Amino acid sequence: MARVFFISPFYLSFFIFLIFSYVAIPILGDEYSYVKQADPKKMGIRKEKLSHFRFYWHDIVSGPNPSSIQVVASPTNSTTAFGLINMIDNPLTIGPKLSSKMVGKAQGLYTSASQEEIGLLMIMNFAFTDGKYNGSTFTVLGRNTVFSKVREMSVIGGSGLFRFAKGYVQVKTYTFNTTTKDATVEYNAYVLHY
Ligand SMILES: *[C@@H]1O[C@H](CO)[C@@H](O)[C@H](O)[C@H]1NC(C)=O
Ligand SMILES: *[C@@H]1O[C@H](CO)[C@@H](O)[C@H](O)[C@H]1NC(C)=O
Ligand SMILES: *[C@@H]1O[C@H](CO)[C@@H](O)[C@H](O)[C@H]1NC(C)=O
């Protein structure tokens, strides 16, 4: 009878090893050695603030120095130019005049993404060059139905002073020259950042 309950010390320790090795790996987290908790305070992440920027965005397609260049023509005869792609490096100025102070550039592209109306998909990094914002960027992505009075797009992230940014922009056409097709658009950006 005693033989039934007898377990040699070797088997016992082997058994214990099996149990602990199975449990220990997830607890010690060896497989996640590439992740560490970061300290938000050490990274300057304290109080979130909301900044409101207003500037004018210039889409210059005419003349010898366009800032906006068509890189793909619409492959269809669609009246909405479906499929068109323009690459932009558009100046952002504090006043509606192109000659007013430039604070950065809107770099990216817009593409005609609607077959029913003029509806653009815009993908832009707002790259600042002014003062403390110099070198910082935030990214705007959204839908722009250019003939609507006010359009809204998302601020989906940023770099430098705009790390962890989120927010939105509201945009209104200020002038559109039907001859040259150049446009000046007022941008009001509301950005939450640290
Ligand atoms: C666009 O229209 C022209 C003239 O009507 C026609 O020759 C051409 O095939 C059309 N292209 C497409 C992609 O529908
Ligand atoms: C912005 O930063 C760049 C690179 O550090 C520098 O060359 C440039 O002079 C700065 N511009 C302004 C307006 O401070
Ligand atoms: C449009 O641009 C043309 C060429 O630069 C200019 O002569 C005309 O005055 C502009 N129209 C408006 C409404 O600004």
Side-chain angles (χ1 to χ4, degrees):
M1 290 299 260
R3 245 176 77 191
V4 175
F5 298 102
F6 176 73
I7 300 167
S8 81
F10 173 76
Y11 279 114
L12 188 63
S13 54
F14 181 65
F15 207 61
I16 288 170
F17 169 74
L18 273 186
I19 291 169
F20 276 88
S21 61
Y22 182 73
V23 174
I25 287 168
I27 287 175
L28 294 177
D30 284 347
E31 50 189 319
Y32 298 115
S33 60
Y34 55 93
V35 186
K36 285 190 174 64
Q37 289 283 314
D39 182 355
K41 284 198 186 87
K42 275 189 192 152
M43 295 177 68
I45 295 167
R46 289 186 181 87
K47 207 170 176 305
E48 200 170 38
K49 52 179 173 271
L50 176 63
S51 300
H52 172 195
F53 295 88
R54 188 177 74 161
F55 32 60
Y56 292 83
W57 176 98
H58 302 268
D59 196 51
I60 307 159
V61 293
S62 70
N65 295 308
S67 65
S68 175
I69 294 166
Q70 190 185 101
V71 290
V72 175
S74 174
T76 67
N77 282 334
S78 134
T79 52
T80 63
F82 186 61
L84 162 142
I85 303 178
N86 264 50
M87 203 75 213
I88 63 169
D89 185 23
N90 285 355
L92 299 168
T93 60
I94 58 173
K97 287 217 167 72
L98 186 54
S99 55
S100 66
K101 184 183 170 162
M102 189 178 81
V103 294
K105 296 275 191 79
Q107 299 175 333
L109 56 90
Y110 58 79
T111 173
S112 176
S114 172
Q115 291 180 292
E116 269 98 49
E117 59 184 328
I118 307 286
L120 305 179
L121 162 68
M122 321 249 334
I123 306 166
M124 300 179 284
N125 290 318
F126 280 30
F128 288 85
T129 49
D130 185 46
K132 67 171 180 174
Y133 296 109
N134 189 11
S136 294
T137 67
F138 61 75
T139 301
V140 173
L141 188 147
R143 177 168 180 263
N144 185 358
T145 49
V146 296
F147 292 117
S148 305
K149 197 165 188 311
V150 181
R151 295 86 75 181
E152 194 166 307
M153 294 179 277
S154 312
V155 172
I156 59 164
S159 71
L161 290 179
F162 300 114
R163 287 173 183 167
F164 297 107
K166 55 181 182 279
Y168 65 96
V169 294
Q170 281 186 323
V171 313
K172 275 188 287 197
T173 303
Y174 185 79
T175 57
F176 177 67
N177 188 315
T178 50
T179 311
T180 60
K181 312 287 187 216
D182 290 347
T184 300
V185 180
E186 181 184 331
Y187 270 71
N188 280 279
Y190 297 89
V191 185
L192 278 170
H193 62 109
Y194 292 94

